[in-house]
Amino acid sequence: MANVLLCNPMFLNQSAEEREASSPYFPLGLLYLAAYIRERGHQVAVFDGTFAEGEADFIQALKDMKPDVVGITALMPTKDAAMRLGQIAKEAGKKVFIGGPDPTYTPEDYLEHPQVDIVVHHEGEITLVTLLDLLDKGQFTAERLGDEPGIAFRDEDGRPIVNRPRPYIQDLDSLPFPARDLIDMDKYLDTWREQNGYASLTLATARGCPYGCEWCQDAVYGQTYRQRSPENVTAELKQLKATYEIDRLRVVDDVDGIDREWLEAWAKTAEVQEAIIPFEALNDLERQDIPMLDVRDSL
Ligand code: B12
Ligand code: SF4
């Protein structure tokens, strides 16, 4: 089975803007991927730049873990750092995969960087595990990659090929909860507490947005709206309450509060199971009738 190091190239100490925002960004996408590939038998660790000193720590992680594959996530503002880590990994002889919102928008741009072997676009879990399985079976060839949805790669002549997106996962309850045990959660929560007076962590209840605004059309989870069941989300809340000292949740869905029945069912299930944690949504909630409301007003 493959040995994988997943990397978050966001170094807090290199970004004054991020430090000012005082809400260190949990690499939730990487934690979903880590949980998914771990469940399928691959070995995985996360290099989280958030509290690292710098690139020397990444070099050390490569030495300690000796991964076959380095998978890096990227947003527009973290692209340069992602490419630097990719370069270091390539020079150390690793296969380099890159994914996340920005590579999804511009896969060709990422393929212009020779250190990138594969761009994974859109939802990542099934695509990543499929690539790792191909590696394990010795089938990681341009011919085989040509059939694989959800990736962009260079063919044997070095031409960029962007394959069609992979169909989305319909049953989100089938996903394991994010592997939060692979990052230093206490450090995140302490930082939140120090800077904001409360500790908050992120949670996703749904993927996609049905509205399709033009500028956002090719987002990671596309023009779909897939919800976890209220029971599945409540089970995660119970796990979070049992494991961490947290005051709030940040719901990081693409769009919030559009399914009133779902919200009511979630509120009821969480109440029955004594799993309520106040939450705040990222969008400015003006729909003040939503149950378990945004907690900002009450503080
Ligand atoms: C929540 C959120 C925030 C929150 C983060 C809260 C927190 N503390 O965690 C806040 C408000 C802080 C924030 C800030 C910003 N955000 Co924001 N944010 C989001 C949002 C709504 C959800 C992100 C999320 O958690 N997704 C859930 C996880 C599970 O999904 P994921 O990370 O995409 O991972 C999946 C795939 O992408 C893929 N994948 C990801 N990485 C990798 C790596 C590999 C190797 C593989 C194989 C696959 C893979 O697999 C994962 C599982 O399917 C997205 C919209 C969206 N849906 O993408 C915008 C979004 C990511 N944000 C965006 C932007 C621009 C920003 C800011 C730059 C805004 C600003 N000007 O300050 C900052 C940058 C923050 C930073 N640290 O770099 C853009 C990015 C655009 C781009 N081209 O990069 C997005 C896409 C919104 C948009 N539509 O424009 N953001
Ligand atoms: S997430 Fe927001 S911007 Fe994107 S399609 Fe949905 S409503 Fe529009």
Side-chain angles (χ1 to χ4, degrees):
M1 302 303 265
N3 185 357
V4 184
L5 182 63
L6 294 174
C7 306
N8 174 22
M10 211 292 293
F11 292 90
L12 257 192
N13 70 2
Q14 291 175 10
S15 169
E17 211 173 275
E18 282 302 318
R19 283 198 303 280
E20 212 164 286
S22 6
S23 56
Y25 191 107
F26 299 88
L28 198 63
L30 291 185
L31 302 183
Y32 263 107
L33 295 169
Y36 194 79
I37 63 176
R38 184 166 69 178
E39 195 176 71
R40 280 151 187 81
H42 298 286
Q43 197 178 328
V44 60
V46 173
F47 170 77
D48 186 5
T50 303
F51 302 110
E53 296 288 321
E55 280 147 26
D57 290 352
F58 175 65
I59 294 169
Q60 192 58 46
L62 286 179
K63 283 188 189 144
D64 293 344
M65 201 188 154
K66 302 182 182 53
D68 313 303
V69 173
V70 169
I72 308 171
T73 191
L75 294 178
M76 212 163 28
T78 58
K79 181 176 182 179
D80 290 347
M83 291 299 97
R84 284 199 303 277
L85 297 191
Q87 181 71 35
I88 293 168
K90 183 92 292 203
E91 283 163 9
K94 313 300 176 191
K95 282 243 175 309
V96 176
F97 299 170
I98 187 136
D102 203 44
T104 294
Y105 285 123
T106 58
E108 291 98 339
D109 289 357
Y110 280 84
L111 278 182
E112 282 173 13
H113 297 260
Q115 64 270 46
V116 173
D117 292 301
I118 301 278
V119 176
V120 172
H121 54 82
H122 297 90
E123 190 162 61
E125 284 89 348
I126 300 180
T127 306
L128 178 58
V129 94
T130 307
L131 291 170
L132 299 178
D133 291 344
L134 287 179
L135 266 174
D136 281 348
K137 289 189 236 150
Q139 294 174 354
F140 202 82
T141 59
E143 193 188 357
R144 187 63 190 75
L145 293 174
D147 295 333
E148 216 39 72
I151 64 165
F153 66 107
R154 285 180 293 273
D155 70 8
E156 277 147 351
D157 301 317
R159 279 181 308 226
I161 309 286
V162 182
N163 291 350
R164 68 187 186 285
R166 182 178 291 280
Y168 292 109
I169 298 166
Q170 290 309 317
D171 177 13
L172 294 185
D173 287 2
S174 67
L175 293 174
F177 299 153
R180 294 185 177 89
D181 56 298
L182 294 180
I183 60 170
D184 190 347
M185 286 296 292
D186 289 340
K187 181 89 176 142
Y188 274 95
L189 297 175
D190 288 348
T191 306
W192 268 86
R193 231 173 261 119
E194 273 162 30
Q195 298 186 332
N196 302 293
Y198 63 90
S200 171
L201 55 69
T202 50
L203 175 110
T205 76
R207 290 183 171 186
C209 172
Y211 297 128
C213 303
E214 201 170 329
W215 69 279
C216 176
Q217 248 168 16
D218 202 22
V220 166
Y221 298 133
Q223 206 178 337
T224 62
Y225 190 57
R226 295 164 286 143
Q227 290 171 293
R228 298 167 60 192
S229 68
E231 293 74 20
N232 183 259
V233 178
T234 301
E236 187 174 346
L237 296 190
K238 283 196 80 129
Q239 190 201 64
L240 293 176
K241 267 179 103 96
T243 318
Y244 306 110
E245 297 254 319
I246 40 171
D247 305 305
R248 294 189 195 177
L249 298 171
R250 268 199 165 195
V251 176
V252 296
D253 299 349
D254 293 82
V255 61
D256 301 306
I258 59 175
D259 185 344
R260 164 110 202 180
E261 270 179 31
W262 188 96
L263 279 165
E264 280 171 355
W266 180 28
K268 205 164 166 190
T269 319
E271 195 173 0
V272 170
Q273 300 210 26
E274 296 179 1
I276 287 190
I277 306 173
F279 78 88
E280 57 187 355
L282 287 173
N283 302 336
D284 242 340
L285 283 181
E286 285 175 5
R287 287 158 292 185
Q288 295 288 326
D289 60 334
I290 289 178
M292 289 188 4
L293 255 189
D294 184 344
V295 292
R296 274 171 297 193
D297 288 347
S298 61
L299 291 174

